[in-house]
């Protein structure tokens, strides 16, 4: 584990008794908006040539950090109701990007990676810093690429935060090669700002297999919605190459989908308890990685039905092990590992070596915490092997990682006496998780 682990953290956190499910869950859970869509939407609206709307945005630590960072660069973001007078919406009014400014990224990968290219377009220096863990997360792909594209960046050779981007008001752009095997966000970061580069951009990934491809597809789809021209592998382009032409971006009225990855613990509750959970407004078509839960959790023993009312997932009371490549949907790994620890047969989760570089080393954290509850989890080169064992209560540490906290809550449904350390870390992407969880259970 890194020095950001819970055991080396001098802060003392309250322990949250994870509710034990005495019977089958039967609930409808309205999941807040997608963090990934909200933060991409904020960046694109800030770079547009005209004002735009972002409806049903997620209000969480990561998205509020993004909004505040854009405000420090001169963008006006008004929080209120939509143009039709209904529903929460943010009005984003672009302005000339300016420095000097200081951006607090917290521990948000989208903020620390998506905003340096924006800062390169600003007029003046922009300093980036964040939580201690943010200094350990890889940023070299963005830093090195921006230098090739014409930006001046001071990072003292770390390839990580803290750093200063010396914005010159514009950026040449053009072709660049990067190794994005540690984070697909390196690619998305360059694509999002590329329409504003003088020559656009041609991003060529060189290196091991790209993780989390659905997030790059999400970036491409959202760029096209605001009028950008994008050539990508998915539409017949060259493999591992994305090209964005220079152009003005349109201000749009964008509705944010529910965060399907944040729906994971609630669907898992149906699977674990043999109950039923409905998530309203589940999209029929989406680029969100969380949509893969329909197939994965069905293979693990449940069934689902997608209707106009949303997605209804039903468990049978039995959980089966799974052998699955999660390289495209790595963020789902903690929740799947929690369910797998309660299954009736072993599981192998593959393709997620990059999770060692997320909010914490998720593979080490999951192994340690599940095993301390009596489990039998071993790390592999690129994932986890999980052999179900009878589990017992104990403290489940989160390492400041929201998905570790929800994984612990899933286990707590079936294991009495599980206590989650620092459940408040879920506010990173899912505000009010403890209340939503207890209401789902009727507690």
């Amino acid at each position: 584990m890194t020095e950001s682990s819970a055991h080396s953290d001098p802060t003392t956190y309250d322990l949250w008794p994870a509710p034990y499910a005495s019977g089958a869950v039967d609930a409808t859970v309205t999941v807040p908006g997608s963090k990934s869509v909200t933060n991409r939407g904020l960046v694109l609206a800030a770079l547009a040539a005209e004002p735009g709307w972002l409806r049903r945005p997620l209000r969480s630590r990561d998205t509020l950090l993004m909004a505040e960072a854009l405000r420090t660069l001169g963008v006006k973001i008004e929080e209120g109701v939509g143009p039709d007078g209904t529903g929460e919406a943010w009005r984003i009014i672009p302005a000339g990007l300016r420095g000097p400014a200081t951006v607090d990224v917290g521990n948000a990968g989208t903020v620390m990676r998506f905003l340096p290219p924006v800062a390169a377009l600003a007029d003046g220096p922009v300093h980036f810093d964040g939580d201690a863990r943010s200094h350990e997360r890889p940023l070299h792909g963005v830093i090195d690429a921006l230098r090739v594209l014409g930006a001046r960046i001071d990072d003292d050779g770390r390839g990580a935060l803290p750093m200063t981007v010396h914005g010159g008001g514009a950026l040449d752009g053009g072709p660049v090669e990067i190794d994005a095997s540690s984070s697909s966000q390196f690619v998305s970061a360059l694509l999002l700002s590329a329409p504003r580069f003088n020559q656009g951009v041609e991003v060529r990934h060189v290196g091991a297999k790209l993780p989390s491809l659905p997030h790059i597809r999400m970036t491409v789809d959202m760029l096209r919605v605001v009028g950008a021209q994008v050539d990508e592998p998915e539409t017949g382009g060259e493999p591992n190459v994305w090209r964005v032409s220079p152009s003005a971006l349109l201000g749009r009225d964008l509705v944010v989908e529910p965060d399907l990855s944040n729906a994971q613990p609630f669907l898992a509750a149906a699977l674990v308890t043999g109950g039923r959970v409905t998530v309203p407004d589940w999209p029929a078509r989406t680029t969100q990685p969380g949509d893969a839960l329909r197939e994965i959790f069905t293979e693990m023993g449940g069934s689902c039905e997608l209707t106009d009312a949303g997605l209804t997932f039903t468990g049978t009371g039995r959980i089966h092990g799974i052998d699955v490549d999660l390289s495209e949907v790595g963020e789902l790994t903690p929740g799947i590992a929690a369910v797998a620890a309660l299954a009736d047969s072993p599981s192998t989760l593959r393709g997620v070596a990059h999770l060692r570089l997320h909010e914490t080393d998720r593979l080490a954290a999951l192994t340690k915490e599940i095993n301390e509850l009596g489990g039998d989890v071993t790390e592999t080169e690129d994932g986890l092997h999980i052999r179900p064992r009878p589990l017992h209560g104990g403290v489940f540490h989160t390492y400041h990682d929201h998905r570790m906290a929800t994984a612990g809550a899933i286990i707590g449904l079936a294991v009495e006496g599980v206590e989650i350390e620092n459940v408040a870390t879920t506010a990173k992407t899912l505000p009010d998780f403890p209340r939503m969880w207890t209401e789902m259970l009727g507690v």
Side-chain angles (χ1 to χ4, degrees), residues 57-149:
L58 173 67
R59 290 184 57 87
S60 71
R61 187 185 186 216
D62 279 17
T63 60
L64 294 176
L65 283 167
M66 179 68 85
E68 187 55 33
L70 291 169
R71 288 186 178 109
T72 68
L73 296 174
V75 178
K76 190 173 183 181
I77 301 175
E78 301 172 343
E79 301 182 33
V81 297
D84 57 0
T86 62
E88 183 175 6
W90 293 350
R91 174 78 161 164
I92 300 100
I93 302 172
L97 301 170
R98 62 174 186 269
T102 297
V103 169
D104 176 11
V105 309
N107 191 19
T110 51
V111 182
M112 72 179 73
R113 292 164 183 153
F114 292 178
L115 286 189
V118 177
L121 298 169
D123 186 9
V126 182
H127 183 69
F128 289 83
D129 204 349
D131 299 352
R133 173 62 178 173
S134 73
H135 295 182
E136 302 170 7
R137 300 184 67 180
L139 197 55
H140 54 87
V142 174
I143 294 172
D144 294 347
L146 285 175
R147 285 180 174 142
V148 170
L149 297 175

Side-chain angles (χ1 to χ4, degrees), residues 238-323:
E238 192 176 346
N240 290 325
V241 177
W242 292 262
R243 297 182 180 89
V244 180
S245 303
S247 67
L249 298 180
L250 306 172
R252 291 297 198 196
D253 186 345
L254 177 68
V255 179
V256 179
E257 297 173 352
D259 193 314
L260 306 188
S261 294
N262 278 341
Q264 181 182 34
F266 305 102
L267 301 184
L271 188 56
V272 168
T273 68
R276 179 176 60 187
V277 169
T278 297
V279 177
D281 301 318
W282 193 287
R285 178 194 172 277
T286 180
T287 53
Q288 287 193 61
D291 195 45
L293 289 167
R294 290 193 287 164
E295 180 179 347
I296 294 169
F297 278 174
T298 295
E299 188 175 342
M300 296 186 80
S303 62
C304 64
E305 182 182 15
L306 184 61
T307 67
D308 291 342
L311 181 75
T312 297
F313 191 86
T314 306
T316 61
R318 294 194 61 186
I319 305 169
H320 308 310
I322 191 171
D323 185 333

Side-chain angles (χ1 to χ4, degrees), residues 31-36 38 56-59 256-259 262 429:
V31 176
S34 163
K35 177 202 74 173
S36 298
T38 299
R56 290 165 55 179
L58 173 67
R59 290 184 57 87
V256 179
E257 297 173 352
D259 193 314
N262 278 341
T429 61

